[in-house]
Amino acid sequence: MRKYFEFDKLGTNYRRETIAGITTFLAMAYILAVNPFILSGADLPPELKANYPEFGAIFTATALAAAIGTLVMAFVGRLPIAQAPGMGLNAFFTYTAVLTMGIPWQQALAGVFVSCTIFLLLSLTGIREAIVNSIPQGLKYAVSAGIGLFIAFIGLKNAGIIIASDSTVVTLGHLTFHPDMDAAQVLAVKNALLAVFGLVLTAVLMARRVNAAIFVGMVVTAIVGMIFGIVELPKQVVDTPPSLAPTFGAAFQYLGDFSTLFSAKMLIVVFTFLFVDFFDATGTLLGVASQAGLLKDGKLPRPGSALASDAIAGMAGAILGTSTTTSYVESTAGVAAGGRTGFASVVTGIMFLLALFFFPLLSVVTEAVTAPALVIVGVLMASHMAQIAWSEMDEAFPAFLTVLMMPLTYSIASGIAAGFITYPVIKVLKGKGREVHPVMYGLFFVFLAYFIFLRE
């Protein structure tokens, strides 16, 4: 094991790698609660929840997908990088593909599988580099930032910090008590205040560079909620993992139906899954490897193996019943703790397997408990806006439109479409049409068709 993971060459040992693996797990353990919450439509009205997979099955799928993906990265990529269903992609799955576009969740899972299969093929060929170079940097950053704002908006809405308004569309929720409030309104205020507490606490933990800040913030918020009677106490701590039967293999219902799998709507869904995962995975792998000092001449060691590991993890997750599994930037927490090899990922993968038996604890994960995690993740993703060339209007406007449209239209696909349509138009009218890659012109027509024919 020491020889396979090159302990001596990288100057590490079992103790350091084990601590790093546990640290990474704690930094990203929040996904075990947040992903089932989002994919099951837990924040949607009861009449809509029937159109979404079961919470328990998604928890099991999430833990298994994270374990499998992380172990694949450990033994194939040999990097201290953990994987799990990605934030942003799960929001696109639930709120855009299923809720807005009306695609059955089983079909959306098929879309995840197809996108990851394409990702795998691209990772094993030289096409990957060509695609990376065809998309403008500003739009790449804008997509990530826009998804961040979208996720943060969902968190604030779920907690009741932001509510609907007839006069202003949205407004600040009720954060104070009034004598004429009924029991439901009082509970809503308590939940909103609990979410505010959790948000401030998590932000402080992040500011103090606590490695597992988001996870610790959720735990403390849940405990405070239980103390004040806002969150119910769990009935037990350990139990048999929920059955995977409701979601396992559901994607195969549509993989053989080419008429629906390759319909115009599904092509948009597949492209979005592929696009976001492709650039998110590439950026995360480079970022974590750079922090670990593993880059050689600015390049990732075994890039094909690392990206293939990401793609295989996504395919496995789709079969199990969850949205795209991808590499997690929280792996930097483990790297900061000394992780340098894939053995750290082995430890993280085992931790995800052990987490399967603690499903009963998720009963304390309410909207108020998950909201801070969503907002903080949104902050981290929105930081990419700093990389956009704001002084150049032909770069800034498409990027800004991408960021703005995602939360305002409640659709990640619409935000991407807005940016990819306006970018070539502005460049051409400015006389810089030759700077636009041919791929971008092709995507212009794809997304124009999306707005004209597919928006309901």
Side-chain angles (χ1 to χ4, degrees):
M1 192 73 78
R2 288 179 59 91
K3 183 178 179 181
Y4 182 77
F5 289 115
E6 301 178 320
F7 275 24
D8 295 335
K9 177 182 177 181
L10 296 171
T12 188
N13 53 57
Y14 283 114
R15 180 178 178 276
R16 186 180 299 169
E17 295 296 308
T18 300
I19 292 174
I22 295 173
T23 301
T24 295
F25 171 77
L26 292 175
M28 57 189 290
Y30 67 89
I31 196 63
L32 291 169
V34 176
N35 195 57
F37 185 90
I38 291 176
L39 291 186
S40 67
D43 62 321
L44 299 175
E47 62 271 15
L48 293 178
K49 291 181 182 179
N51 299 324
Y52 292 83
E54 294 181 11
F55 185 95
I58 301 174
F59 166 78
T60 302
T62 300
L64 287 176
I68 293 171
T70 302
L71 290 172
V72 169
M73 182 63 76
F75 290 105
V76 178
R78 286 188 283 172
L79 292 170
I81 296 175
Q83 302 198 76
M87 292 295 294
L89 288 164
N90 52 10
F92 173 76
F93 184 103
T94 296
Y95 302 108
T96 300
V98 179
L99 181 62
T100 304
M101 301 176 73
I103 294 172
W105 63 267
Q106 299 92 334
Q107 187 177 348
L109 285 175
V112 173
F113 186 86
V114 171
S115 70
C116 291
T117 302
I118 296 173
F119 189 3
L120 177 61
L121 296 175
L122 294 175
S123 300
L124 300 176
T125 66
I127 301 175
R128 176 182 64 86
E129 201 71 32
I131 294 177
V132 169
N133 295 332
S134 69
I135 309 297
Q137 284 294 116
L139 286 182
K140 295 175 191 175
Y141 293 128
V143 168
S144 180
I147 291 174
L149 292 186
F150 181 60
I151 291 174
F153 178 71
I154 291 172
L156 294 173
K157 178 187 73 68
N158 290 350
I161 298 174
I162 297 295
I163 60 175
S165 169
D166 292 334
S167 56
T168 59
V169 186
V170 293
T171 188
L172 185 66
H174 300 293
L175 301 178
T176 57
F177 297 100
H178 301 287
D180 56 344
M181 283 183 168
D182 57 30
Q185 291 173 323
V186 170
L187 181 59
V189 173
K190 287 182 177 179
N191 274 297
L193 291 176
L194 179 62
V196 170
F197 164 79
L199 183 57
V200 173
L201 170 66
T202 308
V204 170
L205 292 173
M206 291 289 292
R208 296 181 68 87
R209 301 188 184 281
V210 175
N211 287 331
I214 295 178
F215 177 71
V216 172
M218 289 180 66
V219 171
V220 174
T221 302
I223 292 173
V224 170
M226 288 184 279
I227 292 174
F228 286 94
I230 305 171
V231 177
E232 293 185 6
L233 292 169
K235 295 181 174 59
Q236 59 188 114
V237 176
V238 179
D239 196 5
T240 304
S243 172
L244 196 62
T247 59
F248 183 76
F252 292 116
Q253 296 180 31
Y254 285 90
L255 284 174
D257 185 358
F258 293 102
S259 61
T260 56
L261 188 60
F262 294 104
S263 63
K265 277 188 178 182
M266 277 301 294
L267 289 176
I268 293 293
V269 169
V270 169
F271 172 79
T272 302
F273 280 134
L274 176 63
F275 176 84
V276 176
D277 185 32
F278 194 85
F279 293 107
D280 184 57
T282 302
T284 298
L285 289 169
L286 288 172
V288 177
S290 175
Q291 182 174 332
L294 299 175
L295 295 183
K296 297 178 181 179
D297 298 324
K299 295 182 179 180
L300 190 71
R302 301 176 297 278
S305 297
L307 287 168
S309 299
D310 195 290
I312 292 169
M315 294 167 68
I319 294 172
L320 292 168
T322 182
S323 55
T324 309
T325 302
T326 189
S327 300
Y328 260 59
V329 73
E330 281 83 353
S331 302
T332 55
V335 168
R340 293 295 180 272
T341 76
F343 188 79
S345 296
V346 172
V347 174
T348 305
I350 293 173
M351 294 295 292
F352 273 114
L353 290 176
L354 293 175
L356 279 166
F357 300 95
F358 292 89
F359 172 73
L361 290 178
L362 264 67
S363 64
V364 306
V365 180
T366 64
E367 293 177 338
V369 174
T370 58
L374 294 174
V375 175
I376 294 299
V377 170
V379 172
L380 297 175
M381 297 181 73
S383 65
H384 288 96
M385 282 193 286
Q387 307 298 324
I388 297 171
W390 294 110
S391 60
E392 302 293 332
M393 186 56 67
D394 54 332
E395 295 285 336
F397 182 75
F400 177 75
L401 206 58
T402 300
V403 173
L404 183 67
M405 292 292 281
M406 286 190 192
L408 293 188
T409 63
Y410 218 70
S411 169
I412 293 172
S414 294
I416 293 175
F420 277 59
I421 288 173
T422 54
Y423 185 86
V425 170
I426 293 179
K427 285 290 186 180
V428 169
L429 294 179
K430 189 181 177 181
K432 293 185 175 181
R434 292 184 178 181
E435 295 182 6
V436 181
H437 196 281
V439 170
M440 288 298 296
Y441 285 115
L443 292 175
F444 165 82
F445 290 106
V446 169
F447 282 112
L448 191 63
Y450 165 74
F451 272 130
I452 295 174
F453 300 111
L454 302 181
R455 293 291 299 168
E456 295 180 355

